[in-house]
Amino acid sequence: MSRHIIHLHIPAFPIAVARVCQPELLGRPVAVAPVQSERGLILSVSYEAGKEGVFKGMPLSNAIKLCPDLIVLSPNPGLMERACRTLAETVARYTPIWEISRPGHIYLDVTGTGRLWGSAKDTGYRLRHEIKYRMYMSGTVGVAGNKMVSSIASRVMPSAGVLDVGHGREAPFMAPLRVDMIPGIGGFRKKILLEEMNITRVHELVALDMRRLKFIFRRQAFVIRQRALGIDPTPVYPIPAQAMVSEEVTLPQGENDDRKLLGVLYSMVEKCAYRLRKGALFPRKAGILIRYSDKIETRRQIGLSNTRFYDLDLYGPLKTLFFKACNRRVRVRFIRVWFRDFCRSSGQLSLFNAPSRAQKKKAAIIQVMDLIRERHGEAAIKYGRSA
């Protein structure tokens, strides 16, 4: 059976969400960036600001010089999370196999849903219409037999609508496109193709023999050629239930005091541990992401051999991981911790490894603290180090 993949693309998703809440932003040049520092980088740009020369990744000070009327919005993670959740609930009605690649970009595998929704193109029109009238956001939809072509189709649409690339039409569709539309061609290789070999279109790249492709792309030569022909076997990865338990914190002014940062870390671990206990989930892997005020990120991950879900048991490995990840003297603006690769408790008591009196006491204390929080709120009781 031929695959039918839909890619929904909502351009400048953070700005589209902000315009739903603030209609006065419609038609105005808008950008999302940290407003506390002019050295911050632009995170998202509206179409109107793009016409003035503002682009994603540009320093905020340069963007304001290019576009004096630019409206700068601070990132709003809470609002984005609610918008992503609503978007996910909408697309989940059409198929159980869907994947969010990043905010505002969703793949749907609608193979075999013809009797419910009609053709894949009709499903794309129906989805776009529902997004427009339920969430008040416009987007483009690409329909194809694989993820890559559907994604490119949604981006080359001149206006909001649906572009269907029929089966067998992938190579002709790709041929006239710019060569940098192919995923995996970075700036260095693009420079070689454009400046040294004068290759600007995909069909010119396809005309090269494998020897020349290997000279440019090394081990990726075969994959690049397949992509240039519109071939992409990558499946749509559905999001499994309880894939990850995570917490994140944004520090508005930034912080580089280890004592305060460890207090924030413990509070995050405490919240994650509570959710793990509620689901009786034992994590086998943990990770941390730290983003500095200059937008540089570091990410570390560790395996957990002693799979427990108590705060003190989880905090130790995360504290070690924190000092491995946080090794710069720049202020930290964002921290995210996560736990994944779960195994569940069987409920069977151990015959030989009976819990000690100290372990029983710790479990009883944490159980009482959970009851207090459930009755009086999370702020009712907390450890001193996270206060």
Side-chain angles (χ1 to χ4, degrees):
M1 179 183 292
S2 299
R3 291 199 303 167
H4 297 280
I5 310 297
I6 292 175
H7 182 255
L8 172 66
H9 173 207
I10 301 178
F13 186 67
I15 296 174
V17 173
R19 282 174 168 172
V20 173
C21 303
Q22 305 176 56
E24 64 272 14
L25 297 177
L26 290 170
R28 305 286 299 278
V30 184
V32 175
V35 297
Q36 293 84 2
S37 171
E38 290 189 355
R39 297 177 62 186
L41 303 180
I42 301 292
L43 304 177
S44 185
V45 179
S46 69
Y47 172 74
E48 296 80 7
K51 291 197 298 183
E52 298 293 329
V54 181
F55 57 87
K56 184 177 178 180
M58 171 183 282
L60 180 59
S61 56
N62 295 356
I64 294 175
K65 291 178 182 178
L66 280 175
C67 182
D69 296 329
L70 184 68
I71 300 174
V72 183
L73 304 176
S74 296
N76 191 336
L79 181 62
M80 285 289 294
E81 183 179 353
R82 294 196 298 272
C84 289
R85 191 184 306 121
T86 303
L87 187 60
E89 291 172 356
T90 303
V91 303
R93 294 178 55 249
Y94 292 89
T95 175
I97 306 176
W98 54 273
E99 174 190 351
I100 298 180
S101 59
R102 59 184 186 274
H105 295 256
I106 298 185
Y107 294 101
L108 296 85
D109 190 337
V110 294
T111 306
T113 62
R115 295 180 63 182
L116 285 173
W117 309 112
S119 67
K121 186 176 182 179
D122 292 340
T123 305
Y125 276 111
R126 185 191 295 265
L127 174 63
R128 180 178 169 272
H129 183 271
E130 186 172 355
I131 295 297
K132 183 176 182 180
Y133 289 95
R134 182 181 177 184
M135 300 184 65
Y136 306 102
M137 289 189 285
S138 296
T140 57
V141 173
V143 182
N146 61 65
K147 290 173 67 175
M148 183 195 71
V149 176
S150 66
S151 175
I152 294 175
S154 69
R155 285 184 283 147
V156 300
M157 284 290 295
S159 60
V162 177
L163 178 58
D164 184 10
V165 181
H167 288 280
R169 297 290 304 166
E170 293 86 358
F173 167 76
M174 294 289 297
L177 299 179
R178 300 191 316 271
V179 71
D180 57 354
M181 295 291 289
I182 300 175
I185 296 183
F188 176 72
R189 289 165 175 168
K190 176 183 173 183
K191 183 176 181 180
I192 294 177
L193 292 173
L194 297 181
E195 297 183 4
E196 299 184 15
M197 305 185 70
N198 196 27
I199 294 177
T200 60
R201 300 294 171 180
V202 173
H203 67 86
E204 298 172 341
L205 182 64
V206 173
L208 297 179
D209 56 32
M210 188 56 67
R211 181 179 61 84
R212 293 185 179 181
L213 285 175
K214 287 183 178 180
F215 177 76
I216 302 171
F217 299 103
R218 306 292 181 180
R219 296 179 180 179
Q220 295 293 316
F222 178 76
V223 175
I224 294 295
R225 183 176 181 82
Q226 293 290 96
R227 291 174 179 174
L229 293 171
I231 300 172
D232 177 27
T234 308
V236 176
Y237 295 100
I239 300 177
Q242 287 292 346
M244 185 182 297
V245 171
S246 64
E247 281 289 333
E248 58 186 45
V249 169
T250 300
L251 306 172
Q253 303 301 325
E255 185 60 67
N256 56 7
D257 186 335
D258 286 345
R259 183 178 58 85
K260 294 180 180 179
L261 290 173
L262 288 175
V264 172
L265 177 66
Y266 193 91
S267 178
M268 298 165 67
V269 172
E270 191 178 358
K271 293 178 182 178
C272 288
Y274 173 73
R275 290 160 59 189
L276 292 171
R277 289 193 296 272
K278 294 293 288 184
L281 300 173
F282 293 82
R284 287 177 287 197
K285 289 184 180 179
I288 187 170
L289 181 145
I290 292 176
R291 183 182 303 142
Y292 298 93
S293 57
D294 57 2
K295 298 302 177 185
I296 293 178
E297 294 183 354
T298 57
R299 186 191 305 258
R300 295 291 185 273
Q301 185 169 292
I302 191 173
L304 302 175
S305 56
N306 187 15
T307 53
R308 296 176 180 268
F309 44 45
Y310 295 131
D311 309 351
L312 295 173
D313 295 325
L314 296 176
Y315 175 70
L318 264 296
K319 180 180 178 180
T320 302
L321 210 59
F322 170 82
F323 284 111
K324 290 182 179 180
C326 188
N327 52 14
R328 303 176 69 217
R329 295 188 177 182
V330 184
R331 289 179 177 268
V332 175
R333 291 292 302 277
F334 177 85
I335 303 177
R336 181 169 183 257
V337 298
W338 66 88
F339 299 90
R340 63 184 183 88
D341 195 10
F342 303 118
C343 62
R344 292 185 178 271
S345 171
S346 63
Q348 176 66 45
L349 297 177
S350 174
L351 181 61
F352 301 103
N353 298 324
S356 64
R357 173 174 289 187
Q359 290 175 331
K360 290 180 180 179
K361 186 177 181 179
K362 180 171 64 175
I365 292 173
I366 291 176
Q367 185 178 8
V368 172
M369 291 178 66
D370 287 346
L371 290 175
I372 294 173
R373 292 191 184 105
E374 290 172 1
R375 183 171 298 179
H376 303 288
E378 288 187 359
I381 186 170
K382 59 178 64 177
Y383 288 94
R385 71 181 69 188
S386 64

